[in-house]
Amino acid sequence: MEKKRTLVIEITIIIFFGLIFFRLAYLHLTPPEWITSRTEGMRLLIQKSNPSRGQIVDRNGELFALDAPGYTMYADPKYIKKHGNIELVSSIISKELFYDKNILMNNLLNSKRAYYPLLIKKPETHTSFKNFSPRDNLSITYKDKTGKNIVLNGVVLKKERIRSYPKGLVLSHVLGYINFDRIGSGGIEQSYHSYLLGKEGLRKGKKDARKKEIYDAREIDRPAEDGAKITLTIDQEIQNITEDVIYQMFLKFRTKSAWAIVQDVQTGEILAMASYPTFNPVEYNKVDEEWRRNRAISINFDPGSTLKTASIGIAIDKGVIDVEDQFDCENGRWLYAGKYLNDWKNFKTLNVQEILKNSSNIGTAKIMLKLGDKDLYDGLKNFGFGEKLSINLPGEEKGQLNDIKKWTKISSSRIGIGQGITATGLQMITLYSTVANDGVMMKPYIVKKIESFEGDLIHEYKPEVLRKPISLATSQKLREMLTTVVDTNGTGNKAKIKGYKIAGKTGTAQKVKSSREGGGYYDDKEVVSFIGFFPANNPQISILVMADEPSIRVNGKLPGGGTVCAPAFKEIAEHTIKYLKISPEGKRIYITQAEN
Amino acid sequence: MKNKNHNHSKLPNLIIIILLITMIIFVSYMQVNNSCSSYGEKILHQEDEIISINNRLIRYNESWSSLTSPRNLKKIIEYHNLDMMLPENKQIVRIESKISNKMTAGLNIK
């Protein structure tokens, strides 16, 4: 009987504990909502991961912009007061980050915030982080001189993505910059922001008591998709020499600003685009807004004599004149419609070739009158004046070509010589590239392709023909005429390169006074330029060099495009010829071998 | 009586067996759970490692890009007193394809 009772008790105990065991096991394996709802909030882990902004590389894959790892260092004054040591934090931080210790301590003591910024968005490699390393979500470790690790509670190193431009100032106007909120605010960073941005990642799961993620409780794991990679048509070597040369020109002639473009005439690809003054994209806010302006596309200027190539080309194309036709250049001063027009020299009779070579205003004006307003207007429109070339960079201007209805009796004689019309550097180089490219106008472009972060091609930009403003025969005639400009006695002779046929044109245009200043032109302010291409017999590359307001006088006079810009053109061209190994016949074949 | 004793000893054995099986299941579950957790830890660790390696790669790429900028290369060349320049046109041997002549290449030396 007793044994039976013992058995019953045993069974009861086993059943009782068995039930508890199974119930606990059941609750553990499939916890009901009344349990999970209490702990869910505490254990829930939602991590959003920021994608890396896409890279920007040149045509050879050289990195120009990328996202690098970095930190923001901040202090949590409330946490420090409770769990840390304000004195210790203040003394270490002030020593390492060059803060005033008393001010920092005072700020930490009096702040009620949980976020007191100490160092915002700096790369991991920043010298200030040398002795610090992240420890956990609420503290960092500081390594002192003796190598001892000191924990600073309440000081946090928050991981950040920092935009880095490893080439420094090179190409800054084209690359642009991103603002504090990581929004592209200039150049490629702005116009291709949506591609560069990437997609945010999400991880949802649970964390343990140490706030660490429990891997097997991960429910959603969608990794961030980094931004697309933008490959530019720019070549860093040509870009670098272009920037160096215009900087030297800027210094030598004390110009207000300078800019240059190098273009592949057959494809329209921009190989270099430089503008000075320049800026560091990382510290974009430390310079004047004007310095951040990409002058090559955003400054409208009177092109001056460089436009004569277009106007004379249109006249030849229309069959109004031919190269050998002669014009009376009125001994350097001509009165037409009550207004005088002057030449820089007292020319008598010149043929069309000589008019272009000597840059005669009067000769060109007479050709324009012969051509007529409508043909000139249509011809210039065909060359793309007065409209954007849509290079897809912010700030591109379209220049100004007044509607023909607004033209007066003298308009064509002035517009034909590059006055009363404005254009951008990009429009002007496109004009010369068209002449160089047998009259075929290629769309200028600066982005070669866009690839996803996984390497899939999103978009590829290919050479695109816009139109054919002049015939092959006209372009050949113009090319021949433009080579005479670079002859020994031509205005652009300083652009001459031994062994190569160079074609080009100088430009010197007085700057326009504002209406407040009474209108008209300044006597002592000019924009000078040289635009050309080479080899003239089989053109490969065109180069535009411009300088705004050179102030150093040469022989008592303000220097023109032939003095300021032609030598710069020559230097860029020589380097480009060597770098691309362009033969005098215009071939670009690249096996090199040193000569014995 | 003998029979009764026999029945009495049989029941606890059964319970012990059930308990043992339960224990085995429980221990196995715990072991599987632990090893899953440890794999999870490893995966998390490796994920962190991938991030840190990727960051290192980015930093190397960044500094390589900076080092190989023409300005830095020029500085380094000058620092080492090296006289380096791009070849002149006459120093270049150009090889053109001569498909029509069934040649792989032809020299174009001036």
Side-chain angles (χ1 to χ4, degrees):
Chain A
M1 188 64 192
E2 198 180 315
K3 277 183 182 174
K4 200 177 176 184
R5 212 183 304 143
T6 314
L7 185 68
V8 170
I9 292 168
E10 274 176 10
I11 290 168
T12 313
I13 290 170
I14 287 165
I15 290 171
F16 178 72
F17 283 104
L19 281 173
I20 291 175
F21 174 80
F22 280 110
R23 178 65 178 151
L24 283 175
Y26 178 75
L27 288 176
H28 178 75
L29 293 171
T30 53
E33 207 188 324
W34 62 269
I35 293 179
T36 52
S37 61
R38 285 186 200 179
T39 55
E40 197 70 17
M42 281 154 58
R43 295 182 66 210
L44 187 68
L45 175 96
I46 294 178
Q47 278 179 337
K48 285 181 181 172
S49 50
N50 290 324
S52 282
R53 196 173 167 84
Q55 298 180 343
I56 305 176
V57 300
D58 82 346
R59 61 189 302 121
N60 301 313
E62 283 288 339
L63 260 176
F64 272 81
L66 76 159
D67 259 12
Y71 293 123
T72 281
M73 186 192 265
Y74 69 91
D76 181 345
K78 273 166 85 180
Y79 191 85
I80 298 173
K81 269 181 225 165
K82 272 190 188 174
H83 307 282
N85 182 337
I86 285 194
E87 168 71 32
L88 180 73
V89 167
S90 306
S91 75
I92 290 173
I93 297 292
S94 59
K95 193 176 80 186
E96 291 291 322
L97 306 187
F98 306 106
Y99 276 102
D100 183 293
K101 188 186 163 188
N102 292 329
I103 294 174
L104 179 64
M105 203 153 109
N106 199 32
N107 288 348
L108 292 178
L109 276 168
N110 296 324
S111 175
K112 285 174 185 166
R113 295 159 60 193
Y115 181 86
Y116 180 84
L118 297 166
L119 201 59
I120 296 171
K121 290 187 178 179
K122 297 285 175 204
E124 267 183 21
T125 46
H126 197 273
T127 46
S128 303
F129 296 130
K130 196 172 59 183
N131 298 320
F132 295 109
S133 53
R135 188 167 170 265
D136 55 35
N137 291 340
L138 291 161
S139 64
I140 61 168
T141 309
Y142 170 70
K143 192 182 248 181
D144 71 5
K145 277 180 188 168
T146 60
K148 195 177 136 194
N149 285 331
I150 301 167
V151 174
L152 298 179
N153 284 322
V155 182
V156 181
L157 278 172
K158 187 185 161 209
K159 282 182 184 171
E160 301 266 16
R161 288 267 163 209
I162 313 289
R163 198 64 172 158
S164 166
Y165 301 90
K167 308 284 184 193
L169 277 63
V170 182
L171 199 65
S172 53
H173 292 95
V174 170
L175 296 173
Y177 52 92
I178 61 166
N179 66 16
F180 192 78
D181 298 320
R182 294 181 60 78
I183 294 167
S185 306
I188 295 290
E189 294 276 23
Q190 182 179 334
S191 44
Y192 289 86
H193 177 71
S194 56
Y195 286 105
L196 289 163
L197 195 58
K199 277 185 192 161
E200 194 180 62
L202 177 70
R203 186 172 285 173
K204 194 178 167 194
K206 290 188 174 62
K207 58 190 173 191
D208 60 18
R210 292 170 299 159
K211 294 187 176 176
K212 280 191 80 179
E213 187 196 5
I214 303 164
Y215 179 78
D216 44 357
R218 196 180 277 183
E219 291 167 26
I220 300 172
D221 186 20
R222 197 178 63 232
E225 284 178 32
D226 291 347
K229 182 166 92 176
I230 310 271
T231 303
L232 304 178
T233 59
I234 297 288
D235 188 305
Q236 78 156 344
E237 183 68 34
I238 302 174
Q239 178 69 28
N240 192 60
I241 187 75
T242 307
E243 290 193 13
D244 278 355
V245 168
I246 66 161
Y247 174 60
Q248 293 305 327
M249 183 179 77
F250 172 88
L251 290 180
K252 190 175 175 188
F253 294 98
R254 289 199 198 147
T255 66
K256 195 177 163 190
S257 59
W259 56 100
I261 307 175
V262 181
Q263 189 178 31
D264 184 322
V265 297
Q266 290 167 4
T267 60
E269 289 175 327
I270 302 294
L271 301 177
M273 186 181 273
S275 190
Y276 201 87
T278 189
F279 69 101
N280 184 346
V282 177
E283 296 176 328
Y284 68 92
N285 50 358
K286 289 187 179 167
V287 297
D288 192 274
E289 199 182 325
E290 194 60 25
W291 288 32
R292 302 199 296 256
R293 202 167 164 191
N294 184 352
R295 289 171 171 75
I297 56 163
S298 69
I299 296 252
N300 290 322
F301 61 94
D302 281 28
S305 299
T306 49
L307 194 86
K308 287 171 187 163
T309 304
S311 45
I312 291 175
I314 295 163
I316 294 173
D317 206 56
K318 290 281 170 193
V320 176
I321 53 160
D322 208 353
V323 182
E324 296 304 322
D325 290 355
Q326 296 201 325
F327 287 84
D328 179 8
C329 292
E330 311 282 348
N331 212 17
R333 192 168 167 83
W334 179 47
L335 182 70
Y336 175 72
K339 299 244 176 179
Y340 277 104
L341 184 64
N342 299 311
D343 265 337
W344 63 279
K345 208 173 170 183
N346 300 339
F347 299 118
K348 291 192 170 73
T349 301
L350 298 175
N351 65 24
V352 173
Q353 179 164 322
E354 288 163 339
I355 286 170
L356 193 63
K357 178 182 175 179
N358 293 300
S359 203
S360 165
N361 289 338
I362 296 169
T364 313
K366 285 191 171 181
I367 295 170
M368 292 307 103
L369 292 176
K370 203 172 171 190
L371 174 67
D373 289 0
K374 188 168 185 319
D375 282 343
L376 176 63
Y377 179 81
D378 290 345
L380 291 173
K381 273 273 173 202
N382 250 340
F383 269 118
F385 291 100
E387 64 184 51
K388 284 185 184 180
L389 286 161
S390 304
I391 194 168
N392 223 351
L393 282 175
E396 186 193 347
E397 283 289 335
K398 60 177 184 176
Q400 192 182 3
L401 174 62
N402 282 335
D403 194 278
I404 195 163
K405 288 173 196 157
K406 292 180 185 169
W407 286 23
T408 62
K409 198 178 175 187
I410 63 161
S411 287
S412 64
S413 66
R414 298 302 188 269
I415 289 170
I417 62 169
Q419 288 181 359
I421 177 175
T422 61
T424 64
L426 188 68
Q427 286 172 323
M428 290 310 293
I429 199 167
T430 304
L431 158 67
Y432 279 77
S433 292
T434 305
V435 173
N437 193 34
D438 297 337
V440 179
M441 188 173 171
M442 303 300 294
K443 185 179 161 69
Y445 65 105
I446 203 158
V447 171
K448 214 170 167 60
K449 60 181 174 182
I450 306 171
E451 290 164 295
S452 76
F453 75 106
E454 285 167 325
D456 300 328
L457 189 68
I458 297 172
H459 191 81
E460 190 170 14
Y461 295 86
K462 296 232 164 109
E464 187 186 328
V465 176
L466 287 177
R467 49 190 167 262
K468 203 168 187 295
I470 50 169
S471 67
L472 170 67
T474 306
S475 78
Q476 283 170 341
K477 283 177 188 171
L478 280 173
R479 260 151 48 184
E480 273 307 310
M481 286 198 281
L482 288 171
T483 54
T484 64
V485 177
V486 190
D487 273 353
T488 314
N489 54 353
T491 53
N493 62 58
K494 286 182 178 158
K496 206 171 177 178
I497 298 172
K498 201 180 159 194
Y500 286 81
K501 236 179 152 184
I502 308 291
K505 183 78 191 80
T506 55
T508 306
Q510 289 168 306
K511 288 182 82 172
V512 182
K513 281 182 183 172
S514 67
S515 51
R516 269 185 306 165
E517 292 168 291
Y521 290 91
Y522 288 107
D523 291 328
D524 57 347
K525 287 182 183 176
E526 48 191 38
V527 179
V528 295
S529 55
F530 186 89
I531 318 173
F533 49 85
F534 56 87
N537 38 321
N538 181 14
Q540 301 290 316
I541 304 292
S542 57
I543 301 173
L544 165 140
V545 181
M546 303 210 59
D548 186 13
E549 291 185 31
S551 60
I552 297 288
R553 289 177 181 265
V554 178
N555 301 327
K557 285 194 293 186
L558 279 177
T563 309
V564 180
C565 301
F569 170 94
K570 182 187 172 180
E571 215 175 316
I572 299 169
E574 274 182 330
H575 192 87
T576 308
I577 282 171
K578 285 180 185 173
Y579 172 65
L580 294 180
K581 298 168 189 72
I582 300 171
S583 75
E585 302 81 41
K587 287 173 185 165
R588 275 192 263 169
I589 305 165
Y590 295 44
I591 310 293
T592 64
Q593 192 178 296
E595 195 182 53
N596 288 327
Chain B
M1 192 68 194
K2 223 178 182 179
N3 239 348
K4 262 187 179 177
N5 273 344
H6 180 72
N7 282 341
H8 176 67
S9 64
K10 224 178 178 180
L11 192 63
N13 285 347
L14 186 69
I15 290 163
I16 286 164
I17 288 164
I18 291 168
L19 275 175
L20 267 174
I21 290 168
T22 315
M23 281 296 286
I24 289 165
I25 292 170
F26 178 73
V27 168
S28 312
Y29 169 77
M30 288 302 285
Q31 203 176 350
V32 171
N33 190 44
N34 279 345
S35 61
C36 279
S37 298
S38 106
Y39 279 127
E41 288 279 321
K42 270 186 193 167
I43 291 168
L44 284 176
H45 178 72
Q46 282 178 346
E47 278 178 348
D48 286 346
E49 210 168 319
I50 287 171
I51 292 169
S52 99
I53 289 169
N54 195 35
N55 283 348
R56 264 173 62 200
L57 177 70
I58 290 169
R59 281 199 299 273
Y60 281 128
N61 279 338
E62 188 190 14
S63 56
W64 177 252
S65 172
S66 169
L67 276 172
T68 54
S69 70
R71 261 168 223 183
N72 273 329
L73 287 177
K74 199 176 164 188
K75 269 186 207 165
I76 294 164
I77 287 168
E78 278 168 11
Y79 177 79
H80 291 286
N81 285 326
L82 294 170
D83 191 10
M84 289 178 77
M85 56 189 74
L86 289 163
E88 298 289 334
N89 181 53
K90 61 181 181 182
Q91 295 173 299
I92 300 170
V93 177
R94 292 183 166 78
I95 298 174
E96 294 175 77
S97 67
K98 296 276 182 183
I99 299 163
S100 57
N101 291 351
K102 293 187 178 175
M103 287 168 67
T104 49
L107 287 179
N108 174 24
I109 308 168
K110 273 213 134 185

